[in-house]
Amino acid sequence: MLVFISKLGLISTAAFMLIAMPVSADEASRNKEIQERFSQCDVNRDGKLTRDEAKGCMPRIYDHFSSIDTQNKGYVTVAEIEAMTNR
C-alpha cells in the first residue's frame, strides 16, 4: 500500500510538471517574438518604443499604448510589453 501511494505521488508530480511546462514554454516563445519585433520597431535603437514607432510596426501595442505606458512617459519598454502580455 505504501509503495502504491508513493508511485501515485510520483505520477501526480510528473503529470503536474508536464502540464506546467508548456505554459512557460509558450511564454518564453511569446517573449522572444516580442523582443524580436520590438527590435525591428525601435528604429533609433534606444530601447524605448514610442507610440509613433509602434504605429506601423506593432499595431496591438499602438492600440493599447496608454494602458501599457501607465506612467505616461511617452514610451514603453520590452519588459513592460512582456509584463502586459503575461498577465
Side-chain angles (χ1 to χ4, degrees):
M1 184 69 163
L2 185 59
V3 173
F4 175 75
I5 293 172
S6 295
K7 287 183 181 180
L8 186 59
L10 288 172
I11 292 170
S12 298
T13 301
F16 176 76
M17 291 177 68
L18 288 174
I19 291 169
M21 284 177 62
V23 172
S24 62
D26 288 345
E27 185 176 305
S29 68
R30 181 176 55 240
N31 287 347
K32 183 178 179 189
E33 182 180 340
I34 290 169
Q35 291 166 4
E36 289 171 356
R37 293 198 54 205
F38 186 97
S39 292
Q40 293 171 353
C41 298
D42 182 17
V43 293
N44 61 355
R45 305 286 181 240
D46 64 352
K48 302 171 185 174
L49 195 68
T50 64
R51 185 182 297 269
D52 288 338
E53 288 174 320
K55 186 174 186 176
C57 195
M58 294 182 87
R60 283 160 111 200
I61 301 306
Y62 177 79
D63 291 343
H64 301 282
F65 196 88
S66 60
S67 62
I68 302 168
D69 181 20
T70 57
Q71 298 175 352
N72 296 318
K73 303 176 307 274
Y75 64 86
V76 294
T77 64
V78 72
E80 291 171 325
I81 295 170
E82 289 172 347
M84 185 215 47
T85 60
N86 292 332
R87 287 185 209 159

